[in-house]
């Protein structure tokens, strides 16, 4: 049977429609959720992400502000900005787009964000709350992965889940969220022995290591749900030929656009082996901004004594 495609755009639209109602209710109570998005330098991918974050905020009726700083910005200048944003009443969410330039002490800056406004869920207080299961603001991409699974009716409780990748921004938080949803979770990475055999144990397989098409057919248990978190930009014909078994369409795209997006999962193998999977593009990617909006709306409520209902029922 053909694998089911988990459509991230449909789920994103569903979440955005729900958020419109929540924003309306907050506005009726005199609260307009506000987001400040900080971009340092001119990384083209970061520019696109931040522009889309600000655009989506406006579409949902949020107040948003884009703060552009030169690539030469120092740690002290950023700390000063974060301090000012922390003190501004109308700002509920502070988003520092990563990566920051090399001269900036990234953790010092992220740790300076008021945890109540940390819509990226990267402050140690929010990381600790995620570990303990008493969580509020959770990193956006991992939160999106859970939304896709739940809204697609994929059972998580009791399932064997394998996460490939152990980054602070995806691998670790998604593993914790799956654990709180009662999956049996294995986290593996580049040093794992016989990675394919471990991955094959996953009824849910999360690929989040940032290597194009690394997860080939032998990594995928027949019928598994495969969530591909990778967003890799291929810019050469050689890369495209390595990733796609049939490169005709992608090569045409490369010629037209100068780049082709590829996930961490081999796109043709997953169709043959998986029961369900997220495509790239159109899978997890669309959820990330929707979850940032959800975090901003929930921060706006929580900061004024209207916390969102909890979803974890850990035991
Ligand atoms: N850069 C790539 N992913 C992310 C993310 O989730 N948050 C931020 N702030 N920057 C990123």
């Amino acid at each position: 049977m053909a694998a089911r495609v988990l459509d991230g755009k449909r789920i994103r639209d569903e979440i955005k429609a729900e958020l419109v109602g929540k924003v309306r209710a907050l506005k009726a109570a005199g609260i307009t959720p506000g987001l400040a998005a900080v971009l340092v330098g001119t990384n083209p991918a970061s520019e696109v992400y931040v522009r889309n974050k600000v655009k989506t905020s406006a579409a949902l009726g949020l107040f948003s502000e884009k703060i552009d700083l030169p690539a030469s910005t120092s740690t002290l200048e950023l700390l000063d900005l974060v301090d000012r944003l922390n003190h501004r009443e109308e700002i509920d969410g502070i988003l520092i787009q990563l990566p920051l330039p090399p001269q900036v002490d990234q953790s010092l800056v992220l740790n300076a964000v008021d945890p109540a406004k940390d819509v990226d869920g990267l402050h140690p207080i929010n990381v600790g709350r995620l570990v303990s299961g008493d969580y509020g603001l959770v990193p956006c991409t991992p939160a999106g992965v859970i939304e896709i699974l739940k809204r697609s009716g994929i059972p998580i409780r009791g399932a064997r889940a394998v996460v490939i990748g152990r980054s602070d921004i995806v691998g670790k938080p998604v593993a914790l969220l799956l654990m709180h949803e009662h999956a049996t979770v294995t986290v593996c990475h580049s040093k794992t022995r016989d990675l394919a055999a471990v991955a094959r144990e996953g009824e849910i397989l999360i690929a989040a290591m940032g290597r194009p098409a690394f997860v080939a057919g032998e990594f995928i248990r027949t019928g598994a749900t495969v969530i591909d978190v990778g967003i890799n930009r291929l810019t050469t014909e050689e890369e495209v030929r390595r990733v796609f078994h049939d490169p005709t369409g992608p090569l045409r795209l490369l010629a037209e656009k100068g780049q082709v997006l590829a996930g961490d999962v081999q796109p043709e193998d997953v169709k043959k082996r998986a029961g369900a999977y997220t495509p790239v593009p159109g899978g997890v990617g669309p959820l990330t901004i929707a979850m940032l909006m959800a975090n901003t709306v929930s921060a706006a409520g929580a900061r004024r004594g209207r916390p969102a209902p909890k979803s974890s029922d850990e035991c």
Side-chain angles (χ1 to χ4, degrees):
M1 209 169 64
R4 175 180 163 207
V5 179
L6 305 176
D7 181 354
K9 290 185 191 163
R10 186 188 58 76
I11 296 169
R12 170 199 62 194
D13 291 344
E14 207 174 283
I15 293 171
K16 277 165 70 173
E18 292 164 13
L19 284 173
V20 168
K22 288 183 186 168
V23 172
R24 203 174 293 140
L26 282 171
K27 282 189 166 174
I31 303 165
T32 299
L35 173 70
V38 180
L39 174 64
V40 185
T42 55
N43 177 318
S46 293
E47 280 180 344
V48 173
Y49 288 139
V50 170
R51 202 178 319 127
N52 286 338
K53 286 167 185 177
V54 169
K55 210 164 82 184
T56 309
S57 300
L60 294 181
L62 275 62
F63 164 73
S64 69
E65 193 169 290
K66 179 169 176 276
I67 300 165
D68 287 296
L69 296 172
S72 59
T73 303
S74 69
T75 303
L76 269 181
E77 285 166 323
L78 267 174
L79 288 174
D80 182 55
L81 170 68
V82 167
D83 186 53
R84 277 182 280 131
L85 294 172
N86 282 344
H87 285 93
R88 278 176 58 189
E89 193 46 37
E90 76 280 19
I91 297 294
D92 297 292
I94 300 172
L95 182 290
I96 316 277
Q97 186 65 31
L98 303 177
L100 290 170
Q103 78 278 8
V104 174
D105 184 333
Q106 181 169 302
S107 57
L108 210 56
V109 172
L110 295 182
N111 295 359
V113 173
D114 178 347
K117 298 187 177 187
D118 169 37
V119 284
D120 245 342
L122 297 175
H123 189 285
I125 294 262
N126 289 321
V127 175
R129 289 184 62 184
L130 176 56
V131 172
S132 72
D134 169 33
Y135 45 94
L137 295 173
V138 170
C140 303
T141 301
V145 169
I146 300 297
E147 288 296 328
I148 291 181
L149 292 170
K150 285 188 171 174
R151 291 174 188 253
S152 305
I154 309 288
I156 306 177
R157 179 182 287 261
R160 282 195 163 261
V162 175
V163 179
I164 314 181
R166 51 178 163 174
S167 67
D168 291 344
I169 206 160
V170 181
K172 287 177 200 166
V174 85
L176 286 161
L177 287 170
L178 287 164
M179 200 192 310
H180 293 312
E181 296 291 340
H182 314 288
T184 302
V185 184
T186 302
V187 180
C188 44
H189 45 77
S190 56
K191 307 289 183 296
T192 300
R193 248 181 284 126
D194 204 352
L195 186 51
V198 180
R200 250 189 339 262
E201 287 176 12
E203 295 163 289
I204 297 171
L205 179 61
I206 315 284
M209 75 295 258
R211 293 180 59 181
F214 181 83
V215 174
E218 55 167 341
F219 287 65
I220 301 169
R221 177 184 182 134
T222 304
T225 297
V226 180
I227 306 292
D228 189 349
V229 182
I231 301 180
N232 306 292
R233 285 162 214 280
L234 312 182
T235 53
T236 66
E237 196 177 316
E238 188 196 344
E239 284 176 307
V240 169
R241 286 188 189 280
R242 184 155 32 84
V243 166
F244 296 94
H245 294 165
D246 176 5
T248 325
L251 282 174
R252 202 176 317 120
L253 207 59
L254 180 69
E256 274 169 30
K257 309 232 173 196
Q259 66 169 25
V260 177
L261 287 188
D264 288 350
V265 179
Q266 212 299 316
E268 284 128 83
D269 288 0
V270 73
K271 287 180 198 163
K272 291 188 202 128
R273 301 273 293 225
Y277 70 99
T278 57
V280 176
V284 175
L287 267 295
T288 298
I289 293 181
M291 299 319 294
L292 175 69
M293 300 297 117
N295 274 351
T296 305
V297 170
S298 106
R303 288 182 60 238
R304 295 166 180 88
R306 298 164 137 247
K310 272 270 158 36
S311 63
S312 164
D313 60 337
E314 190 185 12
C315 62

